C-alpha cells in the first residue's frame, strides 16, 4: 500500500480517531482496522500524509479469504508498504514474518510504532528505502509479496521483473494492485489466480509456477 500522485491512493477511507502515544507529535488522519486473526478489531493510527490510505476493508477481506491456506508461516514482503495494511493483516492471520518497505521516513516510523503496539516486532521489520533500490539488493525468497506501486509512474512492470531475481519462492503468491486501466506485463512464470476491482484500482493475485506459460498477462 502506497501513495497515488492524484487523487488519493485508495478508494476506502480510514475511520476517524485521535492520535495517541508517540504518534501525538504527528498529525493523525484516522485509523486502520485489522479485519481478522490475532489482532482482529485492533485500531492503529494512520498519518495525515498526502494520498496515504489503507486498502479498503472489502478488498482486504476478499484477498485474505483467497490466501487463507497460504498464510500460516508465510514469509511476507510488503513493498510500497504505506500503512502496512496488507502486511499487518498477514501477520495477524498467521504469517511467520513480514518485511515492510516504505521510503517515507515518517510513515515508516509510524508503521514501526504500530508493530510495537501489536507486539509484533519480532515478526515484523520495517525498512526505510525506495522499493526499487531495495529489490536491487541481496534477495531473500518470499512466499507472499504485496506489490502496490504509485499509479502512473511505470513502476509495476520493473518491480515484477526484479522480484524474479531471487525474491520469490517457487510457488509464491504475488498480489499486484495498479490502476484499473493498466494491464501490466508480468513474468511468464506467473499465473493469474484471482482478481478484484475497487474504484480506480485493479488487484490481481498471481501464483508463481516453476515452469513458464504462454498465457501470462
Amino acid at each position: 500500500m502506497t501513495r497515488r500522485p492524484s487523487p488519493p491512493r485508495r478508494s476506502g477511507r480510514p475511520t476517524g480517531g485521535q492520535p495517541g502515544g508517540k504518534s501525538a507529535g504527528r498529525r493523525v488522519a484516522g485509523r486502520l482496522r485489522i479485519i481478522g486473526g490475532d489482532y482482529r478489531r485492533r485500531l492503529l493510527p494512520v498519518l495525515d500524509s498526502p494520498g496515504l490510505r489503507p486498502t479498503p476493508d472489502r478488498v482486504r477481506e476478499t484477498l485474505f479469504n483467497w490466501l487463507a491456506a497460504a498464510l500460516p508461516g508465510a514469509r511476507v514482503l510488503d513493498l510500497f508498504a504505506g500503512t502496512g495494511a496488507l502486511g499487518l493483516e498477514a501477520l495477524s492471520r498467521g504469517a511467520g514474518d513480514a518485511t515492510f518497505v516504505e521510503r517515507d521516513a515518517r510513515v515508516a516510523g509510524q508503521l514501526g510504532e504500530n508493530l510495537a503496539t501489536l507486539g509484533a516486532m519480532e515478526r515484523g521489520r520495517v525498512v526505510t528505502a525506495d522499493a526499487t533500490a531495495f529489490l536491487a539488493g541481496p534477495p531473500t525468497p518470499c512466499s507472499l509479496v504485496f506489490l502496490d506501486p504509485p499509479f502512473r509512474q511505470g513502476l509495476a512492470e520493473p518491480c515484477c521483473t526484479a522480484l524474479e531475481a531471487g525474491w520469490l519462492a517457487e510457488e509464491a503468491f504475488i498480489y499486484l494492485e495498479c490502476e484499473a486501466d493498466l494491464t501490466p506485463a508480468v513474468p511468464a512464470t506467473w499465473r493469474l489466480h484471482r482478481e478484484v476491482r475497487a474504484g480506480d484500482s485493479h488487484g490481481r493475485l498471481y501464483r508463481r509456477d516453476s515452469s513458464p506459460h504462454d498465457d501470462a498477462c
Side-chain angles (χ1 to χ4, degrees), residues 89-127:
E89 194 75 42
L91 287 177
S92 181
R93 297 177 187 238
D97 62 81
T99 298
F100 300 83
V101 181
E102 170 55 47
R103 70 178 181 179
D104 186 311
R106 288 192 322 124
V107 176
Q110 182 63 63
L111 179 50
E113 290 178 19
N114 287 344
L115 281 168
T117 297
L118 295 173
M121 291 295 290
E122 292 184 359
R123 294 190 297 138
R125 178 173 72 111
V126 181
V127 179

